[in-house]
Amino acid sequence: MEARNTIQRSLVYEAVQQLCHPTAEEAWTFIHQKHPSVSKATVYRNLGVLAQSGALRKISLPDGADHFDSTLSEHYHIRCRLCGLVADVDMPHQERMTDLIKDAAGFLVEGHDIILKGLCPACAQRCPAG
Amino acid sequence: MEARNTIQRSLVYEAVQQLCHPTAEEAWTFIHQKHPSVSKATVYRNLGVLAQSGALRKISLPDGADHFDSTLSEHYHIRCRLCGLVADVDMPHQERMTDLIKDAAGFLVEGHDIILKGLCPACAQRCPAG
DNA sequence: ATTTATGCAAATCATTTGCACATAG
DNA sequence: CTATGTGCAAATGATTTGCATAAAT
């Protein structure tokens, strides 16, 4: 299974770069503007291939579609409860996290995801009460 | 919107207690054995109501159905990549985690989820190569 | 040439919803 | 009584898949 360089695959990769954390749908909408013939299935397939190969990171969020990230260095994400905005979180001392997680219930730990939730600056201001 | 005590609601709560981290489907299968008239929609609805009210915790996992937990004290979860088993993780010093997470990209942080992934003891033994 | 990728439409999976009826308070 | 809950079946949303064709190597 040799991966090939198709136009669609590049377009998908570039869309994720440009859009910062898009969903598959968002990436497709973006691509579809200039390249109306690209199908949604192809976008999904290429997001899968690229995430599998490590070229992209898949961000799975509770309640909603997956997002995709072209930043590969380890970092976490936060989503605004109100507007859905997804942002990067560079956590200081996050190495500690990784250390703490070495043993868990006898499992062989291979990785972890951290998803924060809260209010983005704009929504926090707009809705002071929450 | 006063919550009422229905037989179905109790059955759903008890199923989650008994089964430890079941999905909605698993809870329904369990309940359905002794109470064949209970519908899946009702199980979903009550899981939602109970999670909303804080009586249960919803565990959202990447790639797959949500699980539900009757243990309310703060802890995290790990899922086996091979068999799907979900287990509790009591993380030492997890308070540090909470401290670290106070500020993130200017967001007002309200909570966080940590999902670990790896191999459960049984699968690790069965597939030494991974 | 041969294998991988694409586009389309249909299928799948988890979950939600509209509606008429049942039941808890 | 009256609001909330239930069962059913149909709808939804995200993602995947079968299949014939197209394109990359």
Side-chain angles (χ1 to χ4, degrees):
Chain A
M1 45 181 90
E2 301 283 292
R4 293 178 179 178
N5 291 336
T6 64
I7 299 168
Q8 291 88 337
R9 189 155 298 162
S10 320
L11 289 172
V12 168
Y13 182 78
E14 286 157 23
V16 174
Q17 270 192 143
Q18 306 269 316
L19 295 176
C20 293
H21 312 124
T23 61
E25 178 92 29
E26 287 163 349
W28 175 78
T29 301
F30 180 79
I31 293 169
H32 195 254
Q33 288 169 22
K34 298 207 163 182
H35 305 269
S37 68
V38 175
S39 76
K40 209 177 278 191
T42 291
V43 171
Y44 272 101
R45 271 187 288 235
N46 280 315
L47 287 169
V49 168
L50 293 167
Q52 199 68 26
S53 76
L56 292 180
R57 265 182 175 283
K58 178 161 128 181
I59 313 169
S60 290
L61 302 171
D63 307 313
D66 295 342
H67 291 238
F68 294 85
D69 194 340
S70 63
T71 302
L72 298 178
S73 64
E74 203 182 326
H75 65 285
Y76 304 124
H77 296 94
I78 184 162
R79 182 170 49 171
C80 178
R81 159 166 65 85
L82 293 179
C83 70
L85 176 69
V86 173
D88 288 329
V89 176
D90 296 306
M91 190 172 300
H93 303 80
Q94 75 183 41
E95 324 78 42
R96 278 185 184 281
M97 195 54 231
T98 310
D99 287 347
L100 286 174
I101 292 179
K102 279 292 184 299
D103 180 81
F107 278 58
L108 185 62
V109 180
E110 296 178 332
H112 67 275
D113 290 323
I114 302 184
I115 302 296
L116 316 210
K117 43 197 169 184
L119 295 180
C120 74
C123 287
Q125 195 145 52
R126 196 171 295 129
C127 323
Chain B
M1 44 181 88
E2 302 283 292
R4 293 179 180 178
N5 291 336
T6 63
I7 298 168
Q8 291 90 335
R9 189 155 298 163
S10 319
L11 289 171
V12 168
Y13 182 78
E14 286 158 20
V16 174
Q17 271 192 144
Q18 306 268 316
L19 294 176
C20 293
H21 312 125
T23 60
E25 177 91 29
E26 288 164 348
W28 174 77
T29 302
F30 180 79
I31 293 168
H32 195 253
Q33 288 169 23
K34 298 208 163 181
H35 304 268
S37 67
V38 175
S39 78
K40 208 177 280 190
T42 292
V43 171
Y44 272 99
R45 271 187 289 234
N46 280 315
L47 287 169
V49 168
L50 292 167
Q52 200 67 26
S53 75
L56 293 179
R57 265 181 173 282
K58 178 162 129 181
I59 313 169
S60 290
L61 302 171
D63 307 314
D66 294 342
H67 290 238
F68 293 84
D69 195 339
S70 64
T71 301
L72 299 178
S73 64
E74 204 183 324
H75 64 287
Y76 304 126
H77 296 95
I78 184 164
R79 183 171 50 172
C80 178
R81 160 166 65 85
L82 294 179
C83 72
L85 176 69
V86 173
D88 289 328
V89 177
D90 295 306
M91 190 172 300
H93 303 79
Q94 75 184 39
E95 324 79 39
R96 280 186 182 280
M97 195 57 231
T98 311
D99 286 347
L100 285 174
I101 292 179
K102 279 293 184 297
D103 180 80
F107 277 59
L108 184 63
V109 181
E110 297 178 333
H112 66 275
D113 289 323
I114 302 184
I115 301 297
L116 316 210
K117 41 198 169 183
L119 295 179
C120 73
C123 287
Q125 194 145 53
R126 196 171 295 128
C127 324

